[in-house]
Amino acid sequence: MDESILLNLAHSVGVESLLISRFSDRRTILLANTQPSAHQDVFPGVLSLLFAAGEKHLYVERWDAINHIVEPEWTQLSKWDEAKLSVETLLDMTSGIDHAFAQVGDIGHSFRFEPSILSKLTEVLETQTGQSLSSVISDWLTSPLGLPETDCFVEAVDSHPSYRLNISAESIHQFGIAMLKGELFDGSYLMAMREPADSTQKHFRLLWWNHLPSLLGALGQAAAPTSAPKDLLIATETGRVCLAVSGAHDLVITAVGHPSGPNRASALELLATPAFWTTLEHSRS
């Protein structure tokens, strides 16, 4: 792996941390900050992994009805329509409701990324486990992986989502490696992440993107390099921070953009760079 090329590419787009694991070969290409920072970009992806762990621990399932968990009449939908909402519907962001929980689309089909839904999903986890989100993260993610709790924690905020995620690049990366190993999560959940959603955005599945070209198109980025893995899963909201995982290539990439840099999607731009994937491909031969 030509680390000097990867380092230059990362610098050129404003990425301050880049960690790559491939075939058990772990390389830290660039790590500007070892301390946890507010990386809200990967909060949806981490929240999804908690639901994957929740299925393994038998606390929650994707097809559970939301109204069987939280207090009914939390939306402005009719009782009949609200009853259609499942955990999976919220994870796929196909609830058809807006920030005020009013209907703006087809339930179970219309894609709309709505941060208020993340707050409701957090409530589902806390209700089912009887624990705070911080405790669930500790019990299901950081403690099993031997990570310090200070490397990944949440703070309650008066906005949506209702928590701010503080996490180190190292912890983000370890979560990706744990996905490849599959020990912490329900296997059928991880497999479902790679399936198309029954949605107007079929490549957004369980709070992750499973198709790099669709993610790039949604965020107005360049076309995807043809050499990028076809099975790549990406956790990001704006593209400033990305966790990318490929099972077929035994590959985990964590890219963190500079928080005050001019490029708001620096990590995603790195994944859209053909030379990045060409360099990784050459490292295999």
Short mmCIF file of all heavy atoms in Angstrom, two decimals, residues 212-269:
data_model
loop_
_atom_site.label_atom_id
_atom_site.label_comp_id
_atom_site.label_asym_id
_atom_site.label_seq_id
_atom_site.Cartn_x
_atom_site.Cartn_y
_atom_site.Cartn_z
N LEU A 212 -22.36 3.45 -3.58
CA LEU A 212 -21.58 4.69 -3.60
C LEU A 212 -22.08 5.68 -4.65
O LEU A 212 -22.20 6.87 -4.36
CB LEU A 212 -20.09 4.37 -3.79
CG LEU A 212 -19.15 5.58 -3.82
CD1 LEU A 212 -19.24 6.40 -2.54
CD2 LEU A 212 -17.71 5.11 -4.05
N PRO A 213 -22.39 5.25 -5.88
CA PRO A 213 -22.88 6.22 -6.87
C PRO A 213 -24.15 6.94 -6.42
O PRO A 213 -24.30 8.15 -6.66
CB PRO A 213 -23.14 5.36 -8.11
CG PRO A 213 -22.22 4.19 -7.96
CD PRO A 213 -22.18 3.92 -6.49
N SER A 214 -25.06 6.23 -5.77
CA SER A 214 -26.30 6.86 -5.31
C SER A 214 -26.02 7.87 -4.20
O SER A 214 -26.64 8.95 -4.16
CB SER A 214 -27.28 5.80 -4.80
OG SER A 214 -27.69 4.95 -5.85
N LEU A 215 -25.11 7.56 -3.30
CA LEU A 215 -24.74 8.49 -2.24
C LEU A 215 -24.11 9.74 -2.84
O LEU A 215 -24.45 10.87 -2.46
CB LEU A 215 -23.78 7.82 -1.27
CG LEU A 215 -23.08 8.72 -0.24
CD1 LEU A 215 -24.08 9.49 0.61
CD2 LEU A 215 -22.13 7.91 0.63
N LEU A 216 -23.20 9.56 -3.78
CA LEU A 216 -22.54 10.70 -4.41
C LEU A 216 -23.56 11.57 -5.15
O LEU A 216 -23.50 12.80 -5.08
CB LEU A 216 -21.46 10.21 -5.38
CG LEU A 216 -20.24 9.56 -4.73
CD1 LEU A 216 -19.38 8.88 -5.77
CD2 LEU A 216 -19.43 10.59 -3.96
N GLY A 217 -24.50 10.92 -5.82
CA GLY A 217 -25.53 11.67 -6.52
C GLY A 217 -26.43 12.44 -5.57
O GLY A 217 -26.80 13.60 -5.83
N ALA A 218 -26.77 11.82 -4.43
CA ALA A 218 -27.66 12.47 -3.46
C ALA A 218 -27.01 13.71 -2.85
O ALA A 218 -27.70 14.67 -2.51
CB ALA A 218 -28.04 11.49 -2.36
N LEU A 219 -25.68 13.69 -2.71
CA LEU A 219 -24.98 14.82 -2.10
C LEU A 219 -24.31 15.71 -3.14
O LEU A 219 -23.49 16.57 -2.80
CB LEU A 219 -23.94 14.31 -1.09
CG LEU A 219 -24.51 13.58 0.13
CD1 LEU A 219 -23.40 13.19 1.09
CD2 LEU A 219 -25.54 14.45 0.85
N GLY A 220 -24.63 15.48 -4.42
CA GLY A 220 -24.13 16.36 -5.48
C GLY A 220 -22.66 16.22 -5.77
O GLY A 220 -22.00 17.18 -6.20
N GLN A 221 -22.11 15.02 -5.56
CA GLN A 221 -20.70 14.79 -5.82
C GLN A 221 -20.49 14.19 -7.21
O GLN A 221 -21.44 13.88 -7.93
CB GLN A 221 -20.12 13.86 -4.75
CG GLN A 221 -20.12 14.44 -3.36
CD GLN A 221 -19.14 15.57 -3.18
OE1 GLN A 221 -17.98 15.47 -3.57
NE2 GLN A 221 -19.60 16.67 -2.60
N ALA A 222 -19.23 13.99 -7.57
CA ALA A 222 -18.88 13.45 -8.87
C ALA A 222 -19.29 11.98 -8.97
O ALA A 222 -19.64 11.34 -7.98
CB ALA A 222 -17.37 13.57 -9.08
N ALA A 223 -19.24 11.45 -10.19
CA ALA A 223 -19.58 10.05 -10.41
C ALA A 223 -18.61 9.15 -9.66
O ALA A 223 -17.44 9.49 -9.44
CB ALA A 223 -19.54 9.74 -11.91
N ALA A 224 -19.09 7.98 -9.27
CA ALA A 224 -18.27 7.06 -8.49
C ALA A 224 -17.20 6.40 -9.36
O ALA A 224 -17.46 6.07 -10.52
CB ALA A 224 -19.15 5.98 -7.86
N PRO A 225 -16.00 6.18 -8.83
CA PRO A 225 -14.97 5.46 -9.57
C PRO A 225 -15.41 4.03 -9.83
O PRO A 225 -16.02 3.38 -8.98
CB PRO A 225 -13.77 5.50 -8.61
CG PRO A 225 -14.07 6.58 -7.62
CD PRO A 225 -15.55 6.63 -7.51
N THR A 226 -15.09 3.52 -10.99
CA THR A 226 -15.50 2.15 -11.33
C THR A 226 -14.76 1.11 -10.51
O THR A 226 -15.23 -0.02 -10.38
CB THR A 226 -15.24 1.89 -12.82
OG1 THR A 226 -13.85 2.14 -13.12
CG2 THR A 226 -16.10 2.81 -13.69
N SER A 227 -13.62 1.48 -9.93
CA SER A 227 -12.83 0.51 -9.17
C SER A 227 -13.26 0.40 -7.71
O SER A 227 -12.73 -0.43 -6.97
CB SER A 227 -11.35 0.89 -9.23
OG SER A 227 -11.16 2.24 -8.83
N ALA A 228 -14.23 1.22 -7.27
CA ALA A 228 -14.71 1.11 -5.90
C ALA A 228 -15.48 -0.18 -5.72
O ALA A 228 -16.17 -0.63 -6.64
CB ALA A 228 -15.61 2.30 -5.57
N PRO A 229 -15.38 -0.84 -4.55
CA PRO A 229 -16.10 -2.11 -4.33
C PRO A 229 -17.61 -1.94 -4.54
O PRO A 229 -18.20 -0.97 -4.09
CB PRO A 229 -15.79 -2.43 -2.86
CG PRO A 229 -14.49 -1.73 -2.58
CD PRO A 229 -14.55 -0.48 -3.39
N LYS A 230 -18.20 -2.92 -5.21
CA LYS A 230 -19.63 -2.84 -5.50
C LYS A 230 -20.48 -3.06 -4.26
O LYS A 230 -21.64 -2.65 -4.22
CB LYS A 230 -20.01 -3.88 -6.56
CG LYS A 230 -19.20 -3.79 -7.85
CD LYS A 230 -19.29 -2.41 -8.49
CE LYS A 230 -18.49 -2.34 -9.78
NZ LYS A 230 -18.40 -0.96 -10.33
N ASP A 231 -19.91 -3.71 -3.25
CA ASP A 231 -20.69 -4.00 -2.04
C ASP A 231 -20.41 -3.02 -0.92
O ASP A 231 -20.72 -3.28 0.24
CB ASP A 231 -20.38 -5.42 -1.55
CG ASP A 231 -18.98 -5.54 -0.95
OD1 ASP A 231 -18.06 -4.82 -1.42
OD2 ASP A 231 -18.80 -6.34 -0.01
N LEU A 232 -19.83 -1.87 -1.24
CA LEU A 232 -19.41 -0.91 -0.21
C LEU A 232 -20.62 -0.37 0.55
O LEU A 232 -21.58 0.12 -0.04
CB LEU A 232 -18.65 0.24 -0.87
CG LEU A 232 -17.77 1.09 0.05
CD1 LEU A 232 -16.60 0.28 0.60
CD2 LEU A 232 -17.25 2.31 -0.71
N LEU A 233 -20.55 -0.44 1.87
CA LEU A 233 -21.53 0.19 2.76
C LEU A 233 -20.90 1.45 3.33
O LEU A 233 -19.75 1.42 3.76
CB LEU A 233 -21.92 -0.75 3.90
CG LEU A 233 -22.70 -2.01 3.55
CD1 LEU A 233 -22.81 -2.91 4.78
CD2 LEU A 233 -24.09 -1.66 3.03
N ILE A 234 -21.66 2.55 3.33
CA ILE A 234 -21.11 3.82 3.81
C ILE A 234 -22.05 4.45 4.82
O ILE A 234 -23.24 4.59 4.57
CB ILE A 234 -20.88 4.82 2.65
CG1 ILE A 234 -20.11 4.16 1.50
CG2 ILE A 234 -20.12 6.04 3.15
CD1 ILE A 234 -20.95 3.86 0.31
N ALA A 235 -21.48 4.82 5.96
CA ALA A 235 -22.23 5.56 6.98
C ALA A 235 -21.76 7.00 6.94
O ALA A 235 -20.59 7.30 7.20
CB ALA A 235 -21.98 4.96 8.36
N THR A 236 -22.66 7.91 6.58
CA THR A 236 -22.37 9.34 6.59
C THR A 236 -23.68 10.09 6.40
O THR A 236 -24.65 9.55 5.87
CB THR A 236 -21.37 9.74 5.50
OG1 THR A 236 -20.94 11.09 5.71
CG2 THR A 236 -22.00 9.63 4.11
N GLU A 237 -23.68 11.33 6.83
CA GLU A 237 -24.86 12.18 6.61
C GLU A 237 -24.56 13.28 5.60
O GLU A 237 -25.32 13.49 4.66
CB GLU A 237 -25.35 12.78 7.92
CG GLU A 237 -26.65 13.55 7.78
CD GLU A 237 -27.21 14.03 9.12
OE1 GLU A 237 -26.82 13.47 10.18
OE2 GLU A 237 -28.01 14.97 9.11
N THR A 238 -23.41 13.94 5.78
CA THR A 238 -23.07 15.04 4.87
C THR A 238 -21.83 14.76 4.03
O THR A 238 -21.55 15.49 3.09
CB THR A 238 -22.82 16.34 5.65
OG1 THR A 238 -21.61 16.21 6.42
CG2 THR A 238 -23.99 16.65 6.58
N GLY A 239 -21.08 13.73 4.38
CA GLY A 239 -19.87 13.41 3.64
C GLY A 239 -18.60 13.93 4.27
O GLY A 239 -17.50 13.62 3.81
N ARG A 240 -18.71 14.67 5.38
CA ARG A 240 -17.49 15.16 6.04
C ARG A 240 -16.77 14.03 6.77
O ARG A 240 -15.53 14.01 6.84
CB ARG A 240 -17.82 16.29 7.02
CG ARG A 240 -16.56 16.99 7.53
CD ARG A 240 -16.88 18.07 8.54
NE ARG A 240 -17.55 19.22 7.97
CZ ARG A 240 -16.94 20.21 7.33
NH1 ARG A 240 -15.64 20.18 7.16
NH2 ARG A 240 -17.64 21.23 6.86
N VAL A 241 -17.52 13.10 7.32
CA VAL A 241 -16.96 11.92 7.98
C VAL A 241 -17.61 10.70 7.36
O VAL A 241 -18.83 10.66 7.19
CB VAL A 241 -17.23 11.93 9.50
CG1 VAL A 241 -16.59 10.72 10.16
CG2 VAL A 241 -16.71 13.22 10.12
N CYS A 242 -16.81 9.70 7.01
CA CYS A 242 -17.34 8.48 6.39
C CYS A 242 -16.72 7.25 7.02
O CYS A 242 -15.50 7.20 7.26
CB CYS A 242 -17.05 8.44 4.88
SG CYS A 242 -17.96 9.62 3.88
N LEU A 243 -17.56 6.25 7.28
CA LEU A 243 -17.12 4.90 7.59
C LEU A 243 -17.59 4.03 6.45
O LEU A 243 -18.79 3.96 6.16
CB LEU A 243 -17.71 4.42 8.92
CG LEU A 243 -17.50 2.93 9.26
CD1 LEU A 243 -16.01 2.59 9.34
CD2 LEU A 243 -18.21 2.56 10.55
N ALA A 244 -16.64 3.39 5.76
CA ALA A 244 -16.97 2.56 4.60
C ALA A 244 -16.47 1.14 4.84
O ALA A 244 -15.34 0.94 5.29
CB ALA A 244 -16.33 3.15 3.34
N VAL A 245 -17.33 0.16 4.53
CA VAL A 245 -17.02 -1.24 4.81
C VAL A 245 -17.35 -2.08 3.59
O VAL A 245 -18.44 -1.97 3.03
CB VAL A 245 -17.82 -1.75 6.02
CG1 VAL A 245 -17.51 -3.22 6.30
CG2 VAL A 245 -17.53 -0.91 7.26
N SER A 246 -16.42 -2.95 3.18
CA SER A 246 -16.65 -3.91 2.10
C SER A 246 -16.32 -5.31 2.59
O SER A 246 -15.16 -5.60 2.92
CB SER A 246 -15.80 -3.57 0.87
OG SER A 246 -15.81 -4.63 -0.07
N GLY A 247 -17.33 -6.17 2.64
CA GLY A 247 -17.09 -7.54 3.05
C GLY A 247 -16.34 -8.32 2.00
O GLY A 247 -15.45 -9.13 2.31
N ALA A 248 -16.65 -8.09 0.72
CA ALA A 248 -15.99 -8.83 -0.36
C ALA A 248 -14.50 -8.54 -0.42
O ALA A 248 -13.71 -9.41 -0.82
CB ALA A 248 -16.65 -8.48 -1.69
N HIS A 249 -14.11 -7.35 -0.01
CA HIS A 249 -12.70 -6.96 -0.06
C HIS A 249 -12.06 -6.93 1.32
O HIS A 249 -10.90 -6.51 1.44
CB HIS A 249 -12.56 -5.59 -0.73
CG HIS A 249 -12.91 -5.58 -2.18
ND1 HIS A 249 -11.98 -5.55 -3.19
CD2 HIS A 249 -14.11 -5.62 -2.80
CE1 HIS A 249 -12.57 -5.57 -4.36
NE2 HIS A 249 -13.88 -5.60 -4.15
N ASP A 250 -12.80 -7.36 2.35
CA ASP A 250 -12.29 -7.35 3.72
C ASP A 250 -11.66 -5.99 4.03
O ASP A 250 -10.53 -5.89 4.50
CB ASP A 250 -11.27 -8.47 3.91
CG ASP A 250 -10.91 -8.68 5.38
OD1 ASP A 250 -11.76 -8.39 6.24
OD2 ASP A 250 -9.77 -9.11 5.67
N LEU A 251 -12.43 -4.94 3.76
CA LEU A 251 -11.90 -3.58 3.77
C LEU A 251 -12.72 -2.68 4.69
O LEU A 251 -13.95 -2.69 4.65
CB LEU A 251 -11.92 -3.03 2.34
CG LEU A 251 -11.52 -1.57 2.13
CD1 LEU A 251 -10.04 -1.38 2.42
CD2 LEU A 251 -11.85 -1.15 0.69
N VAL A 252 -12.02 -1.90 5.51
CA VAL A 252 -12.66 -0.88 6.34
C VAL A 252 -11.89 0.42 6.15
O VAL A 252 -10.67 0.45 6.26
CB VAL A 252 -12.66 -1.27 7.84
CG1 VAL A 252 -13.30 -0.16 8.68
CG2 VAL A 252 -13.39 -2.58 8.06
N ILE A 253 -12.62 1.48 5.86
CA ILE A 253 -12.01 2.80 5.67
C ILE A 253 -12.72 3.80 6.57
O ILE A 253 -13.95 3.89 6.56
CB ILE A 253 -12.14 3.28 4.21
CG1 ILE A 253 -11.44 2.31 3.26
CG2 ILE A 253 -11.57 4.69 4.04
CD1 ILE A 253 -11.78 2.54 1.80
N THR A 254 -11.96 4.53 7.35
CA THR A 254 -12.49 5.63 8.14
C THR A 254 -11.81 6.90 7.68
O THR A 254 -10.58 7.00 7.71
CB THR A 254 -12.23 5.42 9.64
OG1 THR A 254 -12.87 4.22 10.06
CG2 THR A 254 -12.77 6.59 10.45
N ALA A 255 -12.60 7.84 7.22
CA ALA A 255 -12.07 9.13 6.75
C ALA A 255 -12.79 10.25 7.48
O ALA A 255 -14.02 10.28 7.51
CB ALA A 255 -12.25 9.27 5.25
N VAL A 256 -12.02 11.14 8.07
CA VAL A 256 -12.59 12.25 8.85
C VAL A 256 -12.07 13.56 8.27
O VAL A 256 -10.86 13.81 8.24
CB VAL A 256 -12.19 12.15 10.34
CG1 VAL A 256 -12.75 13.34 11.12
CG2 VAL A 256 -12.67 10.83 10.93
N GLY A 257 -13.00 14.39 7.78
CA GLY A 257 -12.62 15.68 7.24
C GLY A 257 -12.35 16.69 8.33
O GLY A 257 -12.84 16.57 9.46
N HIS A 258 -11.58 17.71 7.99
CA HIS A 258 -11.29 18.77 8.96
C HIS A 258 -12.59 19.48 9.32
O HIS A 258 -13.35 19.90 8.45
CB HIS A 258 -10.30 19.76 8.37
CG HIS A 258 -9.66 20.64 9.37
ND1 HIS A 258 -10.33 21.70 9.95
CD2 HIS A 258 -8.42 20.62 9.94
CE1 HIS A 258 -9.54 22.30 10.82
NE2 HIS A 258 -8.37 21.67 10.83
N PRO A 259 -12.88 19.64 10.62
CA PRO A 259 -14.19 20.19 11.03
C PRO A 259 -14.42 21.62 10.57
O PRO A 259 -15.57 22.03 10.38
CB PRO A 259 -14.15 20.10 12.56
CG PRO A 259 -12.70 20.01 12.90
CD PRO A 259 -12.05 19.27 11.78
N SER A 260 -13.36 22.40 10.39
CA SER A 260 -13.52 23.79 9.97
C SER A 260 -13.02 24.02 8.55
O SER A 260 -12.86 25.17 8.13
CB SER A 260 -12.79 24.73 10.94
OG SER A 260 -11.41 24.41 11.01
N GLY A 261 -12.78 22.94 7.82
CA GLY A 261 -12.30 23.07 6.46
C GLY A 261 -13.38 23.54 5.51
O GLY A 261 -14.58 23.41 5.79
N PRO A 262 -12.99 24.10 4.37
CA PRO A 262 -13.97 24.62 3.41
C PRO A 262 -14.77 23.54 2.70
O PRO A 262 -15.87 23.80 2.21
CB PRO A 262 -13.11 25.41 2.42
CG PRO A 262 -11.75 24.76 2.51
CD PRO A 262 -11.60 24.34 3.93
N ASN A 263 -14.22 22.33 2.63
CA ASN A 263 -14.90 21.23 1.93
C ASN A 263 -15.81 20.51 2.92
O ASN A 263 -15.35 19.78 3.80
CB ASN A 263 -13.86 20.27 1.35
CG ASN A 263 -14.50 19.22 0.44
OD1 ASN A 263 -15.72 19.08 0.40
ND2 ASN A 263 -13.67 18.49 -0.29
N ARG A 264 -17.11 20.68 2.75
CA ARG A 264 -18.06 20.09 3.69
C ARG A 264 -18.22 18.58 3.49
O ARG A 264 -18.80 17.90 4.33
CB ARG A 264 -19.42 20.76 3.55
CG ARG A 264 -19.44 22.20 4.03
CD ARG A 264 -20.83 22.81 3.86
NE ARG A 264 -21.85 22.02 4.51
CZ ARG A 264 -22.16 22.09 5.80
NH1 ARG A 264 -21.49 22.92 6.57
NH2 ARG A 264 -23.12 21.35 6.31
N ALA A 265 -17.74 18.05 2.38
CA ALA A 265 -17.87 16.62 2.11
C ALA A 265 -16.51 16.02 1.76
O ALA A 265 -16.38 15.23 0.83
CB ALA A 265 -18.87 16.39 0.98
N SER A 266 -15.50 16.39 2.53
CA SER A 266 -14.13 16.01 2.21
C SER A 266 -13.91 14.50 2.23
O SER A 266 -13.23 13.95 1.35
CB SER A 266 -13.15 16.70 3.16
OG SER A 266 -13.56 16.56 4.51
N ALA A 267 -14.47 13.81 3.22
CA ALA A 267 -14.28 12.36 3.30
C ALA A 267 -14.92 11.67 2.11
O ALA A 267 -14.34 10.75 1.51
CB ALA A 267 -14.86 11.82 4.61
N LEU A 268 -16.12 12.11 1.75
CA LEU A 268 -16.80 11.51 0.61
C LEU A 268 -16.07 11.83 -0.69
O LEU A 268 -16.01 10.99 -1.60
CB LEU A 268 -18.24 12.01 0.54
CG LEU A 268 -19.12 11.35 -0.54
CD1 LEU A 268 -19.19 9.85 -0.36
CD2 LEU A 268 -20.52 11.95 -0.51
N GLU A 269 -15.51 13.02 -0.79
CA GLU A 269 -14.74 13.37 -2.00
C GLU A 269 -13.55 12.44 -2.16
O GLU A 269 -13.18 12.07 -3.28
CB GLU A 269 -14.28 14.83 -1.94
CG GLU A 269 -13.58 15.27 -3.21
CD GLU A 269 -13.26 16.75 -3.24
OE1 GLU A 269 -13.98 17.53 -2.58
OE2 GLU A 269 -12.28 17.13 -3.92
#
